[in-house]
Amino acid sequence: MPDEVVIRAARTGDIRTIREIVRPHADSRVLVSKDAVTYYEALQQFRVAEQGGVVVGCGALHVMWEDLAEIRTLAVRPEAKGHGVGSRLLEALMADARDLGVQRLFCLTFEVDFFTRHGFEAIEGQAVEPEVYAELVRSYDEGVAEFLDLERVKPNTLGNSRMLRTL
C-alpha cells in the first residue's frame, strides 16, 4: 500500500520543489510561469501534498476580495496523477477558504472536468458587482485580471476556462 498523502502548509524549503512540479505545466502553458520570488512572496497561500516524505503536489489560495478567492497553481507530479492528490489539495484549499470567510472560489483552468467534479461551473461575463469590479480592476495581480476577463491577459490564457464555485 502506498504511503498516506499528508496535506500541510508549505514551508520555504518547499519552494524549489513546488517550482519543479509546476515547471512542466508552465512550459506547456497550462500554468503561468512565475519567478522564484513570487513563490516566496506567496508562501503563506500554498499547501503541499507530501507522500513518503516527498512533496508530490501543490496548490494555493489567493484572496481577491471580501468573499472571493482564487485557486492557483494546483499541480501534481505525473506519477501522483489519478490518485486523488489534486482532489485532496483542492479540498484543503476550500477548507482554508471557508476558514477565512470566503464564499466564492474562482479558478482559471484547462482541467474543466476535474473542477466540475468539485462543484465549479464555467462562467461568462462578470461575477462581481460593478462597485467591486471598479476596485478589483486597480489590482496589478494577473489572476485578478484573468477573473475580470480583461483583454490584456487574453494571449496568456487562450483556451482556459473561467470557473466559479460557491462554498
Side-chain angles (χ1 to χ4, degrees):
M1 175 148 67
D3 292 330
E4 181 184 348
V5 174
V6 175
I7 307 297
R8 64 169 174 78
R11 298 187 285 259
T12 57
D14 296 321
I15 296 298
R16 280 192 172 91
T17 304
I18 288 170
R19 292 187 73 214
E20 176 186 307
I21 292 169
V22 170
R23 186 172 295 116
H25 302 288
D27 289 348
S28 64
R29 299 181 60 97
V30 170
L31 291 176
V32 177
S33 181
K34 298 175 186 164
D35 295 324
V37 68
T38 305
Y39 287 100
Y40 285 107
E41 290 173 343
L43 178 66
Q44 299 92 325
Q45 300 175 13
F46 274 88
R47 287 196 167 268
V48 294
E50 196 173 63
Q51 190 171 30
V54 176
V55 173
V56 295
C58 62
L61 177 73
H62 179 78
V63 175
M64 298 166 68
W65 198 250
E66 179 181 7
D67 67 337
L68 180 68
E70 180 184 6
I71 300 294
R72 290 184 172 178
T73 321
L74 186 60
V76 297
R77 291 185 184 274
E79 62 271 19
K81 272 193 115 166
H83 298 285
V85 174
S87 292
R88 294 272 312 277
L89 278 163
L90 181 57
E91 289 164 11
L93 295 168
M94 289 190 298
D96 290 346
R98 286 184 190 96
D99 289 346
L100 292 171
V102 170
Q103 297 154 357
R104 297 181 302 158
L105 289 174
F106 166 75
C107 69
L108 184 73
T109 186
F110 287 105
E111 299 293 336
V112 173
D113 291 342
F114 171 81
F115 282 97
T116 298
R117 285 194 307 271
H118 291 281
F120 285 75
E121 296 178 358
I123 59 171
E124 296 291 331
Q126 290 310 316
V128 293
E129 302 77 29
E131 302 80 29
V132 175
Y133 180 94
E135 292 289 333
L136 287 175
V137 79
R138 295 179 181 143
S139 174
Y140 293 104
D141 188 276
E142 289 298 307
V144 173
E146 291 162 349
F147 173 73
L148 296 176
D149 203 25
L150 299 179
E151 286 298 320
R152 69 180 169 87
V153 295
K154 293 292 185 200
N156 298 330
T157 60
L158 195 58
N160 282 5
S161 294
R162 297 167 61 238
M163 301 186 79
L164 196 66
R165 176 188 167 149
T166 301
L167 297 176

